[in-house]
Amino acid sequence: MKQWETICQVSDIPLNSGRAALLGKQQVAVFRISNAGIEEFYAIDNHDPFSGANVISRGIIGSLKDQLVVASPVYKQHFCLRTGACLEENVQLRTWKVRTQGDNVQVGQ
Amino acid sequence: MTKKPLKVVVVGNGMVGHHFTEALAHSNAVVTITVIGGETRPAYDRVHLSEVFAGKEPGELALTSREAYQAMGVKAHFGDPVSRIDREQQEVITAGGQCFAYDKLVLATGSYPFVPPIPGGDQKGCLTYRTIDDLGEIKAAAANARTGVVVGGGLLGLECANALLNLGLETHVVEFAPGLMGVQLDDGGGRMLRRKIEALGVHVHTSKATQQIVAGSEHAMAMEFADESRLETDMIVFSAGIRPYDQLAAQAGLELGERGGIVIDYNCRTSDSNILAIGECALFGGRIFGLVAPGYRMAEAAVSQFTAEKLAFQGADMSTKLKLMGVDVGSIGDAHGREPGSIAWVFSDEREEIYKRLVVNAAGDKLLGAVLVGDCSEYDSLLQYFLNGIDLPADPASLILPNVEGAPQLGAAALPASATICSCHNVSKGDIAGAFDVGCCSLGDIKGATKASTGCGGCAALLKTCVDAEMLDRGMSVNTSICEHFPYTRQELYHLIRVGDIRDFDSLLEAHGSGLGCDICKPTAASILASCWNDYILKEQHTGLQDTNDRYLANMQKNGTYSIVPRIAGGEITPAKLIVLGEVARDYDLYTKVTGGQRIDLFGARGEDLPAIWERLIASGFETGHAYAKSLRTVKSCVGSTWCRFGVSDSVAMAITIENRYKGLRSPHKLKSAVSGCTRECAEAQSKDFGVIATENGWNLYVCGNGGMKPRHADLFATDLTDTQLIQTIDRFLMFYIRTADRLQRTSVWLDNLEGGLDYLKAVILEDSLSIGAELEAEMEAVVASYQCEWRTTVEDGEKSGRFAHFVNSEQGDSNIVFVSERDQPRPATAAERDGDKTDILATG
Ligand code: SRM
Ligand SMILES: Cc1cc2nc3c(=O)[nH]c(=O)nc-3n(C[C@H](O)[C@H](O)[C@H](O)COP(=O)(O)OP(=O)(O)OC[C@H]3O[C@@H](n4cnc5c(N)ncnc54)[C@H](O)[C@@H]3O)c2cc1C
Ligand code: SF4
Ligand code: FES
C-alpha cells in the first residue's frame, strides 16, 4: 500500500517550475506543470548524476518531441519527468507518484 | 523447423567487443550471446578517457550497462577474465573457475600498454594508462607528486602528458626516437609540435634511452639515461606503445604474428574457424589497427558471419585528426612520403607555428598523404581527396597555402556518394542522402538515424556541410529555428515580442509556438522580454523561464552552492565597503577571491542563505552585480588622470557612469566594457564588447572585442567623442546588437557574421542609415529608467525569499554540500573526500 506524505501547498511551487522536498533521507524534485491547460505534478530524484549535485529541482522544464522533460541546470542533460530516463545518456532517475488532496501536494512512497 | 541457436561467447568487453555484441544482438542471427569482460565495469569509451582529467565523471563514459545487456538478452559476466580456451571441448574457463561452452568464440581482448624492461621500472610510482582504474591510480599518485614523467612521445603519451599537466604537475615527456608522434608525423611536423607543446610548459626530451630507475635525492625516483643524463621525478607513466592481449590465443595454439597479434583473414577468422578475433588483439595483413574505427569495421565483418549478408574486412584507413593540448594535429595516409617517386610540398610558418606537408604521387594528380600541425582546417578536404582518389587541382600546393585567392574548396557537392563522412560509424555521403529518403529532415535526425558524428566527433563540421547541402538540393530550407517550439530565429522572436507587445512567455507560445517550450527558448524569451520591458525577472510568470543562475540571482557552483558578486562599479570601492564584504564572508564562511573583472566574488553560499546575505549587503549600500545574468558585467577602469601622471581624462568617473547606465540591461550574451585614461590602455578596453580610451580631444570608442575562448581585438569605431556623443553612440550600438544578434552570440561573433561588417555597422549607428537611431535611443532610455536592483526587490518581497530554501518541506540544508579547508579558506570537498572519512571536513548540511 502506498504511503502518501504531504510536502507542501500547491502555491509553494511556482507554476512551471520545481522545488526539492525531503522524504526521510531522500531528496525528491517535485514539479508543477501546466500541460494543455491541465495542472500536473511529477516527482523525480533531485540528485543530478552528471554533476553529483542535488539540483534537478532547479532545472528548466519543457517538452521535447512528446516527452515532458527537465533540463539539469549544471550540464543541461534532459530527464523525462514521467519515466526519469535521461534522453542523452543511458542513465535513469527514480520517480515517485504525486497527487494533490485539496491544496496539499502529496508524494507517494 | 526452428534452428537451434548458436552459442556465441565474446571474450573482452572493450569498445570493439561491445560494438560486436550490440550489432549481433540486434541482427536477425539465431544466437545466444555470452560476454565475459575482464574489467569490473561494462564497456566504456576509452577514446575519451582523458576527459575525466578535465572534469568528466567516469560514469559518463559508459557505452552500455548490465541492464542494457539484460534487455538485449545478452548474458554478461564481468571482473573475471578468461584464463584458458579448451578448443577440444569448445569451452572457455575463467580465472574464477567458471566454464562457458561455445559454438563460436570471439576474441576481443584488445591490447595493453607496453612497459619496457627497465631495471626499477616496476616500483611504486610507475604506472600505465589504458583503463578507468589506471586513471584512479594516476590521480592518486599525482596528488602527492610535484613532477611527472611520461615515457613515450606518441599520441597516447602526449595525451597522458596533458593529463599530468592538468593535474598540476611539472610534466616531462621522454621519447626514445628523435621526434614526437613519429608514426603519424614527419620530422618537420614533429618539430613544430614539439615547439608548441614546449610553449605550454611541457619539457620534452627526445633521443633518450632510459637505462634504469633508481632512488632520487630531490624526488622519489631518478631516471638514468644512456647519455648519462638524469631526470628526477615523483611518478612515471609508461606509454611506450601497445601490445596485443594474445596470451589466450597463444596458449590455445592459434597462429600469431611474429611480433604478436592473432592472425585473422578477411572474415576475421583465426586459424581455428570456430574462433574469430577483432579489435586491437587482431593482426590483419601484418598490422595491428590501434584505432577504434577499424575495430568497428572488423566487428561488423564478424557479425556478418552469423547473418546472410557477407562483409569482408579490407584493412582500414589510419588517418587521424586530434587536438593535443589544444594543438591541432592531423595525419593522412603516407605522411612520410615513403611511396617511391612521390613528391612533397611543405609549408611552414614559424611565427604562427603552423606546419603542413602534402605528399602527392609522381604524376601529381592524387594525394598520398599529409601532415598538419597547428591548423587542421584543410583536414576534411584533404582526407576526401585521399580516400576517394579525387583528382587534385593543377597546383596542389594551393591546398595548403594560406589565403590563396580562389583556393579550391572541396565542397560537399564535389564528393562522390561513396565518400566516407564519418569513419567512426562508417557513414557515407550516400547514407546521408538515404536517410533523407526515409524521412530524416534535420541534422539531429541524421545523427540519430546514422550515428554519424557521435563517435570521436571529428567529422562534425563536414557532416553539417553535407546535411546542409543535401537539404538545399532537396529544396528544404535549412532550419534556423531556435528550437522545436518556435519556427523563428532569435531576431524574429525579438520583433514578434516588441511589435506584438507580448509581455509573457505563455502569450508568446500561444501566438507563435507549440509544445511547452524548453531550456533553449525559455531563457531566450526571458532575455528578450527583459530587454524590451525590463520587468522584475522573478515575477511569477517569468520565474520558470530563467536559467538557474537568473532564477537564484546568483551563479550556481559545481556542488550546488552559489557565488555572490556585488557590483563594484569601475572597480572603485571604499574601505568601509571592503570591510563589510570581509565581515559577510567571515560570518558565512565564504571563499573570497578578487575576480578578473575588478571586483570581489564570495563563493560557497547555500541557496537558503542568499536572501539574508543580500539583506546585509544591501543595507551597506551594495547592489547586485548581475554576474549571473546575460547582461552588463563589469566596466573596468584604470586610475586615470586623477592619480596617474599620464592620464588625460578621468577614466574612473566615466567607467562608473557607463556601468551605472547599462547595469541590468538583458542582452543576447554578457557584455563587458572598460575605460582607459590614455593610450597606454591599462584597463584593456580593446578586448571588450565596447571599450573607451581617453584622447586629448575626447574619447575613442572601440567595439566588438572579446577575451575568452577566441580573443578578438576590438575595432576602432569612432574618435574624439564628447561625453554625450559617447553615450549616445553606445546606446545605439547596444540596442542594435540586442535586436539583431543570435542567442548566446557575443558582440565579436555577431560582427563577424553581420552582413556588411564594420562599415555597415558604422553606417547604421553613426550615420543613421536605417533611420532607427532615435528609436534605439528611446528603447535604451526606457530600460535605463526602469532599472531596479533585483536583489533589493527580492529581499523586500519576503514571500519570494522563502523560495530560496533548499527544501520546500524542511529547514535542513543539502547534506551533499561539504567543504574542506585549503589555504585558510573553504572549498568544495571532492567526491573522494566526501565519501572517505576525512577528518578535516569543515561543515556538512
Ligand atoms: C569569477 C570569474 C573568474 C575569476 O575568478 O576571476 C569568472 C568566472 C566565470 N566565468 Fe568568466 N569569469 C571572470 C572573468 C572573465 C573574463 C575577464 C574579464 O571580464 O575581464 C573573461 C574574458 C573576457 C571576455 O569575456 O571577453 C571571461 C570569459 C568567460 C567566458 C568566455 C567568453 C567568450 O566570449 O569566449 C565564459 C564562458 C561563457 O560565457 O560562455 C565565462 C564563464 C564564466 C562562468 C560563468 C562559468 C560558469 O558557467 O560557471 C564562471 C562563473 C563565476 C561565478 O560562479 O561567479 N567567462 N571571464 C571572473 C568574474 C568577473 C566578474 O567580476 O564578473
Ligand atoms: C587514452 C586513450 C586514447 C585513445 N584515443 C583514441 C582516439 O582518439 N581515436 C581512436 O580511434 N582510438 C583511440 N584510442 C584507441 C582505442 O581506445 C582502441 O582502439 C579501442 O579501445 C580498441 O578496442 P578493443 O575492444 O579492441 O580493445 P579494448 O578497448 O582494450 O578492450 C579489450 C577489453 O578486453 C578485456 N580483456 C583482455 N583480456 C581478457 C580476458 N582474458 N578475459 C576477459 N576480458 C579480457 C580488457 O580488460 C578490455 O576491457 C585511445 C586509447 C587510449 C587508451
Ligand atoms: S576560466 Fe573562467 S570559466 Fe574557466 S574555470 Fe576559470 S573561472 Fe571558470
Ligand atoms: S568520424 Fe568520429 S564521430 Fe564521425
Side-chain angles (χ1 to χ4, degrees):
Chain A
M1 221 195 76
K2 273 214 185 322
Q3 290 277 312
W4 291 99
E5 186 169 331
T6 301
I7 53 151
C8 63
Q9 307 277 286
V10 170
S11 62
D12 289 334
I13 309 177
L15 191 59
N16 293 323
S17 58
R19 292 294 305 268
L22 193 60
L23 255 66
K25 283 200 157 137
Q26 180 72 42
Q27 297 200 16
V28 182
V30 185
F31 298 92
R32 176 180 167 215
I33 295 176
S34 159
N35 189 7
I38 300 167
E39 248 183 53
E40 296 176 353
F41 290 82
Y42 295 94
I44 67 175
D45 208 330
N46 193 36
H47 186 75
D48 173 14
F50 298 102
S51 65
N54 293 324
V55 294
I56 293 297
S57 65
R58 298 179 225 172
I60 293 183
I61 52 179
S63 62
L64 287 181
K65 300 260 159 70
D66 298 325
Q67 300 190 65
L68 284 178
V69 295
V70 56
S72 160
V74 188
Y75 300 121
K76 315 291 179 194
Q77 290 87 358
H78 298 90
F79 297 93
C80 173
L81 290 178
R82 293 184 213 274
T83 64
C86 174
L87 270 50
E88 289 84 7
E89 312 268 340
N90 194 353
V91 172
Q92 177 80 37
L93 297 187
R94 198 177 150 190
T95 58
W96 284 263
K97 292 244 178 299
V98 197
R99 68 174 188 192
T100 48
Q101 292 285 74
D103 235 7
N104 289 338
V105 181
Q106 300 185 325
V107 178
Q109 291 261 37
Chain B
M1 198 185 80
T2 50
K3 256 197 340 205
K4 196 164 168 276
L6 270 185
K7 288 193 288 272
V8 179
V9 172
V10 186
V11 183
N13 192 231
M15 300 186 74
V16 175
H18 167 64
H19 192 78
F20 170 83
T21 304
E22 199 175 41
L24 184 61
H26 288 135
S27 76
N28 54 11
V30 186
V31 291
T32 61
I33 311 175
T34 305
V35 169
I36 307 169
E39 293 184 60
T40 50
R41 42 177 78 73
Y44 54 87
D45 183 354
R46 216 179 286 292
V47 170
H48 292 107
L49 203 54
S50 300
E51 290 179 12
V52 173
F53 290 110
K56 205 169 189 152
E57 291 292 323
E60 292 178 61
L61 296 174
L63 293 174
T64 182
S65 65
R66 289 162 203 263
E67 295 71 31
Y69 274 159
Q70 212 168 20
M72 287 188 251
V74 170
K75 249 174 73 184
H77 183 73
F78 295 111
D80 181 17
V82 169
S83 60
R84 196 160 66 78
I85 303 172
D86 186 334
R87 284 167 61 188
E88 297 283 293
Q89 300 293 323
Q90 300 215 154
E91 58 187 31
V92 296
I93 300 97
T94 68
Q98 296 227 40
C99 196
F100 298 87
Y102 67 82
D103 296 318
K104 293 276 178 191
L105 182 65
V106 179
L107 299 175
T109 46
S111 54
Y112 60 93
F114 169 64
V115 179
I118 298 170
D122 52 0
Q123 56 186 295
K124 190 169 155 284
C126 291
L127 307 168
T128 56
Y129 182 34
R130 175 121 192 134
T131 65
I132 288 186
D133 289 342
D134 293 342
L135 275 177
E137 288 185 28
I138 292 176
K139 276 191 171 175
N144 301 315
R146 280 175 292 145
T147 302
V149 171
V150 176
V151 176
L155 194 154
L156 294 183
L158 294 181
E159 226 184 86
C160 186
N162 189 33
L164 297 189
L165 206 60
N166 279 338
L167 290 167
L169 302 190
E170 178 188 317
T171 303
H172 298 262
V173 171
V174 172
E175 167 60 51
F176 179 73
L180 295 175
M181 280 183 71
V183 179
Q184 293 87 0
L185 302 184
D186 66 333
D187 292 350
R191 265 199 308 276
M192 190 63 85
L193 178 63
R194 173 182 189 145
R195 209 176 142 127
K196 293 185 79 104
I197 68 173
E198 281 181 335
L200 294 168
V202 176
H203 305 269
V204 178
H205 315 266
T206 47
S207 302
K208 290 275 178 198
T210 313
Q211 300 234 290
Q212 59 171 341
I213 301 168
V214 297
S217 49
E218 299 271 306
H219 296 272
M221 293 175 272
M223 304 174 72
E224 294 184 351
F225 303 113
D227 62 5
E228 303 202 333
S229 58
R230 277 164 61 92
L231 178 60
E232 295 225 353
T233 181
D234 299 312
M235 61 184 288
I236 301 176
V237 185
F238 286 101
S239 186
I242 53 169
R243 292 289 181 273
Y245 261 128
D246 55 11
Q247 292 81 349
L248 275 181
Q251 158 270 324
L254 298 179
E255 186 188 344
L256 302 185
E258 243 170 66
R259 301 217 306 277
I262 310 168
V263 173
I264 59 168
D265 64 11
Y266 289 105
N267 298 316
C268 297
R269 274 197 300 242
T270 66
S271 54
D272 176 336
S273 62
N274 286 328
I275 305 182
L276 308 174
I278 54 178
E280 277 187 0
C281 62
L283 187 75
F284 177 83
R287 284 176 87 176
I288 297 278
F289 292 84
L291 291 176
V292 63
Y296 283 1
R297 293 303 85 73
M298 289 183 201
E300 286 147 18
V303 167
S304 78
Q305 298 295 302
F306 298 86
T307 63
E309 179 193 23
K310 290 283 171 278
L311 284 176
F313 178 71
Q314 315 263 21
D317 174 47
M318 296 290 280
S319 301
T320 28
K321 171 171 79 168
L322 59 152
K323 227 185 177 64
L324 274 172
M325 311 188 194
V327 180
D328 286 316
V329 180
S331 165
I332 294 175
D334 181 12
H336 295 92
R338 296 206 168 102
E339 173 85 17
S342 60
I343 23 181
W345 279 266
V346 171
F347 171 79
S348 172
D349 176 343
E350 297 205 332
R351 190 177 58 181
E352 298 293 326
E353 302 191 321
I354 292 171
Y355 177 89
K356 301 175 186 179
R357 174 188 170 103
L358 205 62
V359 181
V360 172
N361 66 350
D365 61 350
K366 297 282 187 253
L367 186 71
L368 298 178
V371 173
L372 301 169
V373 175
D375 175 10
C376 271
S377 41
E378 293 95 359
Y379 180 89
D380 289 347
S381 285
L382 294 178
L383 184 64
Q384 295 301 333
Y385 277 109
F386 172 67
L387 290 178
N388 298 302
I390 299 173
D391 280 340
L392 290 170
D395 176 15
S398 63
L399 292 174
I400 53 167
L401 290 178
N403 297 326
V404 178
E405 269 305 306
Q409 271 295 314
L410 198 52
L415 299 177
S418 62
T420 304
I421 306 300
C422 171
S423 49
C424 289
H425 291 288
N426 204 17
V427 181
S428 67
K429 188 179 154 198
D431 295 336
I432 295 172
F436 274 103
D437 289 341
V438 298
C440 285
C441 49
S442 68
L443 183 61
D445 289 353
I446 295 287
K447 282 187 179 176
T450 63
K451 286 192 164 183
S453 178
T454 60
C456 70
C459 60
L462 184 62
L463 178 69
K464 181 161 187 317
T465 323
C466 286
V467 168
D468 286 352
E470 190 64 37
M471 288 173 69
L472 273 176
D473 265 5
R474 289 168 186 253
M476 299 161 76
S477 58
V478 177
N479 193 349
T480 52
S481 314
I482 61 165
C483 67
E484 67 179 66
H485 305 103
F486 291 97
Y488 299 107
T489 61
R490 182 189 170 281
Q491 296 89 304
E492 290 165 339
L493 277 186
Y494 179 92
H495 288 292
L496 290 171
I497 289 175
R498 171 78 73 182
V499 176
D501 194 24
I502 292 174
R503 302 279 169 160
D504 59 57
F505 183 77
D506 286 348
S507 317
L508 180 68
L509 195 63
E510 199 175 314
H512 303 291
S514 64
L516 293 186
C518 65
D519 54 312
I520 306 287
C521 59
K522 282 183 169 181
T524 305
S527 161
I528 299 175
L529 288 167
S531 300
C532 289
W533 320 122
N534 213 18
D535 263 355
Y536 172 50
I537 64 163
L538 295 189
K539 268 198 181 165
E540 178 97 24
Q541 64 270 37
H542 303 320
T543 308
L545 311 179
Q546 310 296 345
D547 258 324
T548 317
N549 285 356
D550 276 304
R551 179 157 163 215
Y552 283 78
L553 303 173
N555 292 45
M556 185 190 275
Q557 304 299 317
K558 59 200 279 190
N559 63 348
T561 61
Y562 290 92
S563 72
I564 295 171
V565 190
R567 190 164 293 293
I568 299 179
E572 183 184 81
I573 184 165
T574 63
K577 278 186 159 177
L578 266 179
I579 289 169
V580 172
L581 288 182
E583 285 172 349
V584 169
R586 180 196 58 205
D587 294 351
Y588 285 89
D589 212 356
L590 304 176
Y591 169 79
T592 308
K593 179 179 181 300
V594 174
T595 72
Q598 295 191 343
R599 48 191 187 171
I600 294 169
D601 203 341
L602 311 178
F603 293 83
R606 292 163 170 283
E608 62 269 26
D609 289 338
L610 289 173
I613 294 174
W614 273 105
E615 201 164 356
R616 264 179 77 175
L617 292 172
I618 287 165
S620 309
F622 283 105
E623 57 181 359
T624 182
H626 292 101
Y628 46 81
K630 300 287 178 256
S631 68
L632 182 79
R633 295 286 169 85
T634 66
V635 182
K636 302 213 270 189
S637 76
C638 68
V639 286
S641 57
T642 318
W643 294 88
C644 175
R645 63 196 160 122
F646 296 117
V648 291
S649 272
D650 186 354
S651 47
V652 179
M654 182 50 84
I656 294 173
T657 303
I658 293 179
E659 184 154 348
N660 283 330
R661 181 166 182 82
Y662 303 113
K663 65 190 175 191
L665 170 70
R666 272 0 196 236
S667 45
H669 206 314
K670 59 191 170 194
L671 290 167
K672 297 179 177 185
S673 178
V675 184
S676 282
C678 81
T679 52
R680 284 167 194 76
E681 244 282 72
C682 298
E684 300 166 322
Q686 291 167 94
S687 68
K688 298 297 175 205
D689 296 279
F690 58 107
V692 180
I693 301 176
T695 69
E696 299 286 348
N697 307 314
W699 305 100
N700 282 356
L701 175 64
Y702 291 80
V703 296
C704 304
N706 206 165
M709 289 170 252
K710 193 159 173 284
R712 182 182 188 280
H713 227 271
D715 289 306
L716 180 59
F717 195 64
T719 52
D720 299 331
L721 302 173
T722 62
D723 289 10
T724 321
Q725 287 171 327
L726 176 68
I727 297 296
Q728 184 194 34
T729 312
I730 300 174
D731 276 3
R732 290 184 182 187
F733 166 75
L734 290 179
M735 264 300 160
F736 189 61
Y737 162 65
I738 289 172
R739 273 194 182 187
T740 55
D742 274 338
R743 86 177 246 283
L744 300 186
Q745 191 174 43
R746 289 286 292 267
T747 53
S748 56
V749 185
W750 168 68
L751 179 60
D752 288 342
N753 285 287
L754 193 67
E755 226 164 293
L758 189 66
D759 290 337
Y760 172 72
L761 190 61
K762 281 185 178 167
V764 173
I765 305 299
L766 301 175
E767 291 150 30
D768 202 7
S769 60
L770 299 178
S771 306
I772 53 170
E775 212 176 289
L776 295 173
E777 285 169 41
E779 287 169 6
M780 181 62 83
E781 207 48 60
V783 172
V784 172
S786 55
Y787 169 79
Q788 58 182 311
C789 168
E790 292 152 358
W791 264 113
R792 177 183 287 273
T793 312
T794 305
V795 169
E796 284 170 357
D797 180 355
E799 201 267 328
K800 297 231 161 40
S801 305
R803 292 192 186 151
F804 288 83
H806 188 72
F807 295 115
V808 70
N809 65 339
S810 162
E811 309 257 282
Q812 284 183 44
D814 180 3
S815 60
N816 203 11
I817 298 177
V818 180
F819 295 101
V820 296
S821 176
E822 186 170 276
R823 296 185 296 277
D824 301 328
Q825 292 212 69
R827 68 152 168 83
T830 61
E833 287 166 339
R834 239 189 294 130
D835 299 342
D837 285 294
K838 285 281 277 197
T839 41
D840 53 351
I841 295 277
L842 290 180
T844 70

